[in-house]
Coordinates of all heavy atoms in Angstrom, one line a residue:
S120 N 69.7 45.8 11.3 CA 69.9 47.1 11.9 C 68.6 47.8 12.3 O 68.6 48.5 13.3 CB 70.6 48.0 10.9 OG 69.8 48.1 9.7
S121 N 67.5 47.4 11.6 CA 66.2 48.1 11.9 C 65.3 47.2 12.7 O 64.4 47.8 13.3 CB 65.6 48.5 10.6 OG 65.2 47.4 9.8
G122 N 65.4 45.9 12.6 CA 64.4 45.0 13.2 C 63.2 44.9 12.4 O 62.3 44.1 12.8
I123 N 63.1 45.6 11.3 CA 61.9 45.5 10.5 C 62.1 44.5 9.4 O 63.1 44.6 8.6 CB 61.5 46.9 9.8 CG1 61.2 47.9 10.9 CG2 60.4 46.7 8.9 CD1 61.0 49.3 10.4
N124 N 61.3 43.5 9.3 CA 61.4 42.4 8.3 C 60.5 42.7 7.1 O 60.9 42.3 6.0 CB 60.9 41.1 8.9 CG 61.5 40.8 10.3 OD1 60.8 40.7 11.2 ND2 62.8 40.7 10.3
K125 N 59.5 43.5 7.3 CA 58.5 43.6 6.2 C 57.6 44.9 6.5 O 57.3 45.1 7.6 CB 57.6 42.4 6.1 CG 56.7 42.3 5.0 CD 55.7 41.2 5.2 CE 56.3 39.9 5.7 NZ 55.3 38.9 6.0
L126 N 57.3 45.6 5.4 CA 56.3 46.6 5.5 C 55.1 46.3 4.5 O 55.3 45.6 3.5 CB 56.8 48.0 5.1 CG 57.8 48.6 6.1 CD1 58.3 50.0 5.5 CD2 57.2 48.9 7.4
S127 N 53.9 46.7 4.9 CA 52.7 46.4 4.1 C 51.9 47.6 3.9 O 51.8 48.4 4.8 CB 51.9 45.3 4.7 OG 51.5 45.6 6.0
L128 N 51.3 47.7 2.7 CA 50.4 48.8 2.4 C 49.1 48.2 1.8 O 49.2 47.4 0.8 CB 51.0 49.8 1.3 CG 50.0 50.8 0.7 CD1 49.6 51.8 1.8 CD2 50.7 51.5 -0.5
G129 N 48.0 48.5 2.5 CA 46.7 47.9 2.0 C 45.7 49.0 1.6 O 45.6 50.0 2.2
L130 N 45.0 48.7 0.5 CA 43.9 49.5 0.0 C 42.7 48.6 -0.2 O 42.8 47.7 -1.0 CB 44.3 50.2 -1.3 CG 45.5 51.1 -1.2 CD1 46.0 51.5 -2.7 CD2 45.2 52.4 -0.4
T131 N 41.6 48.9 0.6 CA 40.5 47.9 0.5 C 39.2 48.7 0.5 O 39.1 49.8 1.0 CB 40.5 47.0 1.7 OG1 40.2 47.7 2.9 CG2 41.8 46.2 1.8
Y132 N 38.2 48.0 0.0 CA 36.8 48.4 0.1 C 36.0 47.3 0.8 O 36.2 46.1 0.3 CB 36.1 48.8 -1.2 CG 34.6 48.7 -1.1 CD1 33.8 49.7 -0.5 CD2 33.9 47.6 -1.7 CE1 32.5 49.6 -0.4 CE2 32.5 47.5 -1.6 CZ 31.8 48.5 -0.9 OH 30.5 48.4 -0.8
D133 N 35.2 47.5 1.8 CA 34.5 46.5 2.4 C 33.0 47.0 2.7 O 32.9 48.1 3.2 CB 35.1 46.0 3.8 CG 36.2 45.0 3.6 OD1 37.3 45.4 3.4 OD2 35.8 43.8 3.6
Q134 N 32.1 46.2 2.3 CA 30.7 46.5 2.8 C 30.5 46.1 4.2 O 31.0 45.1 4.7 CB 29.7 45.6 1.9 CG 28.2 45.9 2.3 CD 27.3 45.0 1.5 OE1 27.7 44.4 0.4 NE2 26.1 44.8 1.9
T135 N 30.0 47.0 5.0 CA 29.8 46.8 6.5 C 28.4 46.5 6.9 O 28.2 46.1 8.1 CB 30.4 48.0 7.2 OG1 29.7 49.2 6.8 CG2 31.9 48.2 7.0
A136 N 27.4 46.8 6.1 CA 26.0 46.5 6.4 C 25.2 46.4 5.2 O 25.4 47.1 4.2 CB 25.5 47.5 7.4
D137 N 24.3 45.4 5.2 CA 23.4 45.2 4.1 C 22.0 45.7 4.6 O 21.4 45.1 5.5 CB 23.3 43.7 3.7 CG 22.4 43.5 2.5 OD1 21.7 44.4 2.1 OD2 22.3 42.3 2.1
N138 N 21.5 46.8 4.1 CA 20.3 47.4 4.6 C 19.0 46.8 4.0 O 17.9 47.3 4.3 CB 20.3 48.9 4.4 CG 21.4 49.5 5.3 OD1 21.7 49.1 6.4 ND2 22.1 50.6 4.7
A139 N 19.2 45.8 3.1 CA 18.0 45.2 2.5 C 17.2 44.4 3.5 O 17.7 43.6 4.2 CB 18.4 44.3 1.3
D140 N 15.9 44.7 3.5 CA 15.0 44.0 4.5 C 13.5 44.3 4.0 O 13.2 45.3 3.3 CB 15.1 44.6 5.9 CG 14.7 43.6 6.9 OD1 14.3 42.5 6.6 OD2 14.6 44.0 8.1
E141 N 12.7 43.3 4.3 CA 11.3 43.4 3.9 C 10.4 42.5 4.7 O 10.8 41.3 4.9 CB 11.1 43.1 2.4 CG 9.7 43.1 1.8 CD 9.7 42.7 0.4 OE1 10.6 43.1 -0.4 OE2 8.7 42.0 0.0
F142 N 9.2 43.0 5.1 CA 8.3 42.1 5.8 C 6.9 42.7 5.7 O 6.7 43.9 5.4 CB 8.6 41.8 7.2 CG 8.4 43.0 8.2 CD1 7.2 43.2 8.8 CD2 9.4 43.8 8.5 CE1 7.0 44.2 9.7 CE2 9.3 44.9 9.4 CZ 8.0 45.1 10.0
F143 N 5.9 41.9 5.9 CA 4.5 42.3 5.8 C 3.8 41.6 7.0 O 4.0 40.4 7.3 CB 3.8 41.9 4.5 CG 2.3 42.1 4.5 CD1 1.8 43.3 4.3 CD2 1.5 41.0 4.7 CE1 0.4 43.5 4.2 CE2 0.1 41.2 4.6 CZ -0.4 42.5 4.4
T144 N 2.9 42.4 7.7 CA 2.2 41.8 8.8 C 0.8 42.3 8.8 O 0.5 43.4 8.3 CB 2.9 42.1 10.2 OG1 2.2 41.4 11.2 CG2 2.9 43.6 10.5
F145 N -0.1 41.5 9.4 CA -1.5 42.0 9.4 C -2.2 41.4 10.7 O -1.8 40.4 11.2 CB -2.3 41.5 8.2 CG -2.3 40.0 8.0 CD1 -3.4 39.3 8.5 CD2 -1.3 39.3 7.4 CE1 -3.4 37.9 8.3 CE2 -1.3 37.9 7.3 CZ -2.4 37.2 7.7
G146 N -3.3 42.0 11.1 CA -4.0 41.5 12.2 C -5.1 42.5 12.6 O -5.4 43.5 11.9
Q147 N -5.7 42.2 13.8 CA -6.8 43.1 14.3 C -6.3 43.7 15.6 O -5.5 43.1 16.4 CB -8.1 42.3 14.5 CG -8.7 41.8 13.2 CD -10.1 41.1 13.5 OE1 -10.2 40.4 14.5 NE2 -11.1 41.4 12.6
S148 N -6.9 44.9 15.9 CA -6.5 45.6 17.1 C -7.6 46.5 17.5 O -8.5 46.9 16.7 CB -5.2 46.4 16.9 OG -4.9 47.2 18.0
R149 N -7.6 46.9 18.8 CA -8.6 47.9 19.3 C -7.9 49.3 19.3 O -8.6 50.3 19.6 CB -9.1 47.5 20.7 CG -10.0 46.3 20.7 CD -10.7 46.2 22.0 NE -11.5 44.9 22.0 CZ -12.8 44.9 21.5 NH1 -13.3 45.9 20.9 NH2 -13.4 43.7 21.6
N150 N -6.6 49.3 18.9 CA -6.0 50.6 18.8 C -6.0 51.1 17.4 O -5.6 50.4 16.4 CB -4.5 50.5 19.2 CG -4.3 50.0 20.6 OD1 -5.1 50.3 21.5 ND2 -3.3 49.2 20.9
S151 N -6.4 52.3 17.2 CA -6.6 52.9 15.8 C -5.4 53.9 15.5 O -4.8 54.5 16.4 CB -7.9 53.6 15.7 OG -7.9 54.4 14.5
I152 N -5.1 54.0 14.2 CA -4.1 55.0 13.8 C -4.5 56.4 14.2 O -3.7 57.3 14.2 CB -3.9 54.9 12.3 CG1 -2.7 55.7 11.8 CG2 -5.1 55.2 11.5 CD1 -1.4 55.3 12.3
D153 N -5.8 56.6 14.5 CA -6.2 58.0 14.9 C -5.5 58.5 16.1 O -5.3 59.7 16.3 CB -7.7 58.0 15.2 CG -8.2 57.2 16.4 OD1 -7.4 56.5 17.0 OD2 -9.4 57.2 16.6
S154 N -5.0 57.6 17.0 CA -4.2 58.1 18.2 C -2.9 58.7 17.8 O -2.4 59.6 18.5 CB -4.0 56.9 19.1 OG -3.3 55.8 18.5
Y155 N -2.4 58.3 16.7 CA -1.1 58.9 16.2 C -1.4 60.4 15.9 O -0.6 61.3 16.3 CB -0.6 58.2 14.9 CG 0.5 58.9 14.2 CD1 1.8 58.6 14.6 CD2 0.3 59.7 13.2 CE1 2.9 59.2 14.0 CE2 1.4 60.3 12.5 CZ 2.6 60.1 12.9 OH 3.7 60.7 12.3
F156 N -2.4 60.7 15.1 CA -2.7 62.1 14.7 C -3.2 62.9 15.8 O -2.9 64.1 16.0 CB -3.7 62.1 13.5 CG -3.1 61.4 12.3 CD1 -3.5 60.1 12.0 CD2 -2.2 62.0 11.5 CE1 -2.9 59.5 10.8 CE2 -1.6 61.4 10.4 CZ -2.0 60.1 10.0
L157 N -4.1 62.3 16.7 CA -4.6 63.0 17.8 C -3.5 63.5 18.8 O -3.5 64.6 19.3 CB -5.6 62.2 18.6 CG -7.0 62.0 18.0 CD1 -7.8 61.0 18.8 CD2 -7.7 63.3 18.0

Side-chain angles (χ1 to χ4, degrees):
S120 60
S121 67
I123 298 176
N124 313 118
K125 187 195 310 177
L126 290 179
S127 57
L128 170 66
L130 300 170
T131 68
Y132 159 74
D133 276 88
Q134 182 182 342
T135 57
D137 183 355
N138 294 324
D140 202 7
E141 178 182 322
F142 73 88
F143 173 78
T144 187
F145 62 94
Q147 290 185 324
S148 176
R149 293 193 182 276
N150 301 325
S151 170
I152 186 67
D153 64 0
S154 59
Y155 173 85
F156 297 101
L157 283 171

